[in-house]
């Protein structure tokens, strides 16, 4: 994946960018149960700091969290320590395009536009092939992808100015190539814990036909998904530009 979150940014991310997952993941856990899972085990792909993994675990799933960022996983281990000790969660440091698990799971999820960091349809296909290999027959794969409208706010400078954080975000989005980058920089934390935040995010948007073709290449069949991709919990700057913000996809592994 193109974007690899640093340890300092992971702490910043956990505070400011997990609001949507906190709102959406409980509804997703309920939806998986309602639509039927072949096994109550789940792969949380690009699990980040463990917010969604905790929610899935508390909903009765055996969770495997996969993420490439050691900084993200360090925070996830802190958050999930008791659940890890109980054997309900395990964490794996691996790339979303190239991960392998010892046993397949009943479901796989990837949330909050994590897969928008993949830089090409070839990378998306490799990711979906890895997901397919990680699923039992009949397993569900549910993920969301940001649409181009989400990234248009990258053209504008936005600032977080709080007693223990001064962060500026500025970037660019190219509608023609459907690619962009965002630079996040500033200081975060108070007193001796104050740290410099420097992170460049690189993302691209995928057209629906690209997504469905990549799913098909991996033996995953797109099916209807009536989960509302709520905007609750999102940062306000991401909601200033009109248009659909994200799409939630659902696919099944069928023999």
């Amino acid at each position: 994946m193109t974007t690899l979150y640093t340890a300092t940014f992971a702490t910043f991310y956990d505070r400011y960018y997990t609001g949507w997952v906190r709102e959406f993941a409980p509804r997703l856990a309920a939806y998986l149960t309602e639509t039927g899972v072949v096994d109550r085990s789940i792969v949380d792909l690009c699990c980040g700091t463990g917010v969604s993994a905790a929610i899935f675990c508390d909903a009765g799933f055996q969770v495997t969290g996969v993420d490439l960022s050691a900084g993200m996983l360090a925070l996830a281990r802190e958050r999930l320590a008791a659940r890890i000790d109980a054997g309900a969660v395990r964490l794996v440091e691996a790339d979303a395009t190239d991960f392998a698990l010892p046993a397949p799971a009943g479901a796989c999820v990837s949330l909050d536009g994590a897969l928008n960091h993949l830089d090409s349809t070839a990378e998306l296909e490799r990711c979906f092939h890895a997901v397919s290999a990680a699923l039992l027959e009949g397993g569900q794969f549910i993920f969301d992808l940001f649409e181009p409208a989400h990234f248009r706010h990258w053209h504008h400078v936005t600032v977080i100015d709080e007693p223990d954080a001064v962060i500026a975000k500025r970037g660019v989005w190219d509608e023609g190539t459907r690619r962009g980058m965002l630079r996040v920089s500033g200081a975060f934390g108070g007193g001796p814990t104050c740290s410099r935040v420097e992170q460049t995010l690189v993302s691209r948007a995928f057209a629906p036909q690209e997504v469905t073709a990549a799913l098909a290449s991996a033996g995953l069949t797109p099916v209807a998904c009536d989960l509302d991709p709520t905007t609750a919990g999102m940062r306000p700057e991401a909601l200033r530009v009109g248009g659909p913000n994200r799409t939630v996809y659902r696919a099944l592994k069928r023999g």
Side-chain angles (χ1 to χ4, degrees), residues 28-40:
L28 175 53
Y31 183 82
L32 285 167
T33 299
E34 291 165 5
T35 53
V37 286
V38 294
D39 185 84
R40 291 196 70 80

Side-chain angles (χ1 to χ4, degrees), residues 92-181:
V92 176
E93 185 175 335
D95 194 298
T97 66
D98 184 24
F99 70 95
L101 304 178
C108 179
V109 302
S110 187
L111 300 183
D112 209 18
L115 300 186
N116 286 103
H117 290 317
L118 299 175
D119 192 48
S120 65
T121 54
E123 286 194 356
L124 192 67
E125 286 186 8
R126 289 198 295 273
C127 172
F128 290 171
H129 278 270
V131 168
S132 182
L135 283 175
L136 292 164
E137 292 297 326
Q140 296 195 53
F141 179 32
I142 297 180
F143 60 99
D144 71 275
L145 289 170
F146 287 128
E147 297 294 339
H150 169 83
F151 296 107
R152 290 174 190 144
H153 77 279
W154 285 11
H155 286 299
H156 307 283
V157 175
T158 57
V159 177
I160 295 173
D161 188 355
E162 297 182 357
D164 63 347
V166 179
I167 304 290
K169 300 191 303 175
R170 62 223 186 267
V172 63
W173 176 254
D174 188 308
E175 292 285 350
T177 63
R178 299 165 69 91
R179 287 177 170 85
M181 60 81 67

Side-chain angles (χ1 to χ4, degrees), residues 217-232:
S217 77
L220 298 168
T221 303
V223 293
C225 183
D226 55 2
L227 264 174
D228 174 24
T230 177
T231 58

